[in-house]
Amino acid sequence: MNELKQVTHIDNVKLGEDKASVRILDQTQLPAKTEYLTLRTPEDLYDAIFELKVRGAPAIGICAGFGIYILARTIEARNYDDFYRRFCEYRRYLDSARPTAVNLSWALNRMERVVIEHRELEVARILELLERECMAIQHEDQEMCHAISEYGLSLLKDGDGILTHCNAGPLATSQYGTALGPLLLGKERGMEFHVFADETRPLLQGARLTSYELQKAGVDVTLICDNMASLVMKNGWVQACLVGCDRVAANGDTANKIGTSGVAILARHYRIPFYVLGPSSTIDLSRKTGEDIEIELRSPDEIKKKFYQHPMAPEEVKCYNPAFDVTDHTLITAIITERGICYPPYTESLASFG
Ligand code: MRU
């Protein structure tokens, strides 16, 4: 495999051959170490999602699909009702790991539907169907990312400067990624983009993951601190912003990594198109607007201590650490999914994603 393919087709989440484990690439160790983890217990799975060892909305969904399958296989039940009750306990536990990315509950709901719709079958047969479903979730994500990349690429020109925030590359999905997909697909086709990657405080997904993936793929990437985005836009170095999404409400309001809405506001000021890219599984029509999206709050230590040798703030200082923000739909030029490019008004263009 050449370097580019190694990036676009990275093996980040996989069902173990024993069907009793999920193997993930530990994203918290990158870029220093390429370390794989074997997850077996409910706690392993919860911790991997909560601690962002596996992260990025689609990758979380894929991991949860495999996770609930391996847990379902451990259930010793006398009958269907026993099995379903235990299944729901595991399902609720995994679902509680992170609230904002809809893909987590979306994947778990898909798996639960299989159990509900086949209640008349033997548990052994239900398990076979669950295996098929979790494999399908991953396989469909690969196809979706490919289609998103094609649509995204159709909006870009060779030589464009691109700004991205957080990480929405292959590591965050199954293949290619969403926001980084068009850039990697373009690279395959001999196009050159000049990418500015926001480092993405406080967990540095841009520095640790996006710049790692793009550099490895041979894409020209320049790492900047989040507060430098305005200057590179003002300098005329950015022709489009591409970001991923964790949940898109019916009116197009989009939750994504904290700092995304600031990028969108800057892009509007400098008249730069701001594109959101994501699979249709990220669209949640049950949320009317961004106001209905729960935003995950995380530990102050991520701001004060993590990644530093010494604490960078007084021990007792108050901290506010929301992991996501909502970009207002009025700031979004288009939402790019595997089904096509949605333009405003989003209440109409997203309406068929129910
Ligand atoms: O907290 P994270 O790293 O899981 O946040 C990830 C993002 O915000 C991504 O942009 C989003 O999940 C899309 S990944 C294709």
Side-chain angles (χ1 to χ4, degrees), residues 70-77 82-84 86-88 90 123:
I70 65 159
L71 297 180
R73 280 173 52 92
T74 65
I75 299 173
E76 289 175 15
D82 266 3
F83 176 78
Y84 181 54
R86 201 74 192 103
F87 180 93
C88 288
Y90 286 141
V123 167

Side-chain angles (χ1 to χ4, degrees), residues 303-337:
I303 297 179
K304 294 196 276 188
K305 297 186 183 159
K306 204 166 173 114
F307 304 123
Y308 296 121
Q309 272 182 326
H310 307 289
M312 279 297 139
E315 183 79 34
E316 299 304 329
V317 75
K318 273 196 292 178
C319 266
Y320 174 51
N321 183 18
F324 300 92
D325 60 21
V326 173
T327 299
D328 196 85
H329 62 279
T330 56
L331 299 170
I332 299 171
T333 311
I335 299 175
I336 298 154
T337 76

